[in-house]
Amino acid sequence: MASALAGGVPAQAQQQQRPAAPSGSPTLDAVRERRLLLCGVSGESPGFSLPDSRGEMQGLDADTCRAVAAAALGDAKLVRFVPLSPQARFTALQSGEVDLLVRNTSWTLTREASLGLLMAWINFHDGTAFVVKSDAGVSSAKQLDGATVCLLQGTSTELDVAEWFRANNLRFTPAVFGGVSETQAAFLAGRCDAWANDASYIAAFRASQPNAGLSLLPDRIGSEPVGAMVRKGDDRWFDLVRWTGAALLAAEQAGVTSANADEKRRSPDPALQRLLGAQGDLGKALGVDNAWASNAVKQVGNYAEIWDRNLAPLGLDRGANRLASQGGLMWAPPLR
């Protein structure tokens, strides 16, 4: 009996108190040591990351952070959200101020080749969209021939819109403004027939103006894949973030939800058993517990649940963010 005790602490408790073995990922080891994931977000974007009335961060980006925390630490609540400006976001990730950046950030060559960052998972396929007054009787961007379109100066949207109108043999008059607030005010005051910006931002703007009578047109111009970025040089952390995103999509594909994950874990289907940690060592390969994906889905939900909770209320159609089997661009590589 004496051998089972040391200093009055049970041997089992001693084992639980020992630090986890190094994972092979400096970032994951730091997250484990502090028992907290530091996640950079906007904090000002409805549907993506915005505190609710209780001060709790809500949105697709916030839930992406929570899913990674659940996979890495077993608890989706172990996240500290760090609001970052567009100017500060990359420096914060590069310097280690945050472990993960999920801030409506587009995947571009320059950001990977020049900034030392990697896009680990695309959680949203964005693109330029148009918003109009509902009483204008416009249901498609191709009905905007001859319209005046509000645009924000110095953005890729200016070029996207000009090229789209030219390609469709349509005319438009650009009304260019220097700031977002100025652009919004001009559109609401009727100085433009439409306003073009990122679809995610336009949807959030529309939701913030419930009495303005605004319609989000279904057309999308260009492609802006956004998602979770990490620093280069920590391949295992990159793997964990990437495959956590894949697990959320795989769960949707397989009909696994936060409510039925435990039931599905008992399925004889080997793919479900691997996904939910009942078989194989996928977690071990990532340096985490084999319940990593199960924890993420049970505590945060599959991708469809996250979408329905955060973006469906904005009136944003899934469009390109549907599963590939439903005509979208979202799919999960095999988890095996």
Side-chain angles (χ1 to χ4, degrees), residues 30-323:
V31 169
R32 282 176 168 171
E33 184 176 357
R34 77 171 85 93
R35 292 287 296 164
L36 195 66
L37 172 70
L38 305 179
C39 201
V41 297
S42 166
E44 298 179 337
S45 181
F48 291 85
S49 60
L50 183 72
D52 62 15
S53 59
R54 298 170 297 176
E56 295 182 8
M57 197 69 73
Q58 304 294 343
L60 173 65
D61 289 350
D63 280 345
T64 299
C65 298
R66 290 188 177 98
V68 174
L73 298 170
D75 190 341
K77 296 179 182 178
L78 297 178
V79 181
R80 177 183 298 159
F81 295 103
V82 182
L84 296 169
S85 68
Q87 296 78 16
R89 55 184 167 168
F90 299 126
T91 301
L93 182 58
Q94 292 165 333
S95 67
E97 180 184 343
V98 295
D99 307 304
L100 181 64
L101 178 65
V102 196
R103 194 204 175 284
N104 303 89
T105 299
S106 299
W107 184 14
T108 70
L109 184 152
T110 302
R111 288 166 183 174
E112 287 203 337
S114 301
L115 299 183
L117 306 177
L118 288 172
M119 179 64 76
W121 179 54
I122 297 170
N123 71 350
F124 186 82
H125 288 275
D126 211 344
T128 299
F130 297 91
V131 63
V132 298
K133 298 289 181 64
S134 299
D135 59 11
V138 175
S139 59
S140 168
K142 290 188 177 180
Q143 294 176 275
L144 293 174
D145 190 19
T148 298
V149 180
C150 280
L151 297 167
L152 182 61
Q153 188 176 33
T155 64
S156 59
T157 302
E158 288 185 83
L159 179 60
D160 289 343
V161 170
E163 290 185 344
W164 184 85
F165 271 88
R166 189 180 307 119
N168 286 278
N169 197 28
L170 301 174
R171 298 170 297 105
F172 85 106
T173 300
V176 182
F177 301 91
V180 173
S181 297
E182 184 183 0
T183 310
Q184 291 177 352
F187 170 67
L188 292 173
R191 294 173 61 185
C192 313
D193 302 300
W195 175 28
N197 205 333
D198 290 344
S200 56
Y201 193 93
I202 290 290
F205 166 73
R206 176 176 174 269
S208 72
Q209 304 286 331
N211 300 317
L214 306 179
S215 294
L216 180 65
L217 300 185
D219 312 78
R220 297 292 180 272
I221 299 174
S223 175
E224 291 285 339
V226 302
M229 299 198 82
V230 299
R231 291 180 292 277
K232 279 186 176 179
D234 193 340
D235 292 347
R236 180 159 279 193
W237 180 245
F238 170 87
D239 289 344
L240 180 60
V241 175
R242 163 172 281 188
W243 286 99
T244 298
L248 301 179
L249 291 171
E252 180 184 359
Q253 290 173 180
V256 179
T257 68
S258 54
N260 69 16
D262 285 333
E263 176 187 349
K264 292 285 188 180
R265 192 175 186 272
R266 297 189 291 271
S267 166
D269 184 342
L272 285 180
Q273 290 187 356
R274 286 193 300 271
L275 172 66
L276 299 172
Q279 174 184 306
D281 280 320
L282 296 184
K284 182 178 180 181
L286 296 171
V288 295
D289 188 275
N290 281 333
W292 63 283
S294 177
N295 289 335
V297 174
K298 286 171 62 176
Q299 297 178 36
V300 185
N302 66 30
Y303 185 80
E305 290 180 277
I306 294 171
W307 181 283
D308 290 343
R309 181 166 59 243
N310 297 298
L311 295 175
L314 299 181
L316 194 61
D317 183 82
R318 273 188 70 168
N321 295 289
R322 294 188 180 96
L323 295 177

